Amino acid sequence: MRKIGVLWCKSTATRPEKTLNLLRFSQRYHDPRVIAFDKFRDEEFASKHDIAYLNNANDVIENSDIISLNLSLNASSSNIIGKHVLSIVKKGVIIVN
């Protein structure tokens, strides 16, 4: 089963529509499992959309076939995809910004 990883799934800093569009895509075409990391978990949102929260971003990055970055650009998110991330992703991963 393919896994879509979502970083910052529904945080207050992002637009949840991006996550919902990704979920609609996944249900229509691939039916994968959706895993996510977010500092501000919304368990109701996750339950409603069958999203499994993981404890840290690295777990999502290591286990995803597709990674969606749903975060605002700021000092802490700038250059979030660096050598470390590229060293732990699956071969052939697709990263969507």
Side-chain angles (χ1 to χ4, degrees), residues 6-79:
V6 182
L7 297 180
W8 287 265
C9 183
K10 190 179 177 274
S11 92
T12 56
T14 63
R15 296 186 343 248
E17 305 87 55
K18 183 175 180 183
T19 301
L20 292 174
N21 286 337
L22 183 64
L23 293 171
R24 282 193 280 279
F25 166 80
S26 69
Q27 292 167 350
R28 184 171 179 188
Y29 295 103
H30 298 287
D31 195 30
R33 178 165 181 235
V34 179
I35 57 178
F37 171 76
D38 199 319
K39 291 180 183 179
F40 309 100
R41 292 182 180 202
D42 183 337
E43 299 294 343
E44 183 178 335
F45 179 84
S47 177
K48 180 178 178 182
H49 298 288
D50 199 25
I51 298 169
Y53 279 118
L54 300 185
N55 291 327
N56 63 64
N58 283 347
D59 288 345
V60 173
I61 291 165
E62 290 174 341
N63 291 292
S64 297
D65 299 291
I66 300 171
I67 299 170
S68 177
L69 303 173
N70 296 11
L71 47 118
S72 300
L73 180 60
N74 58 41
S76 66
S77 66
S78 180
N79 299 314

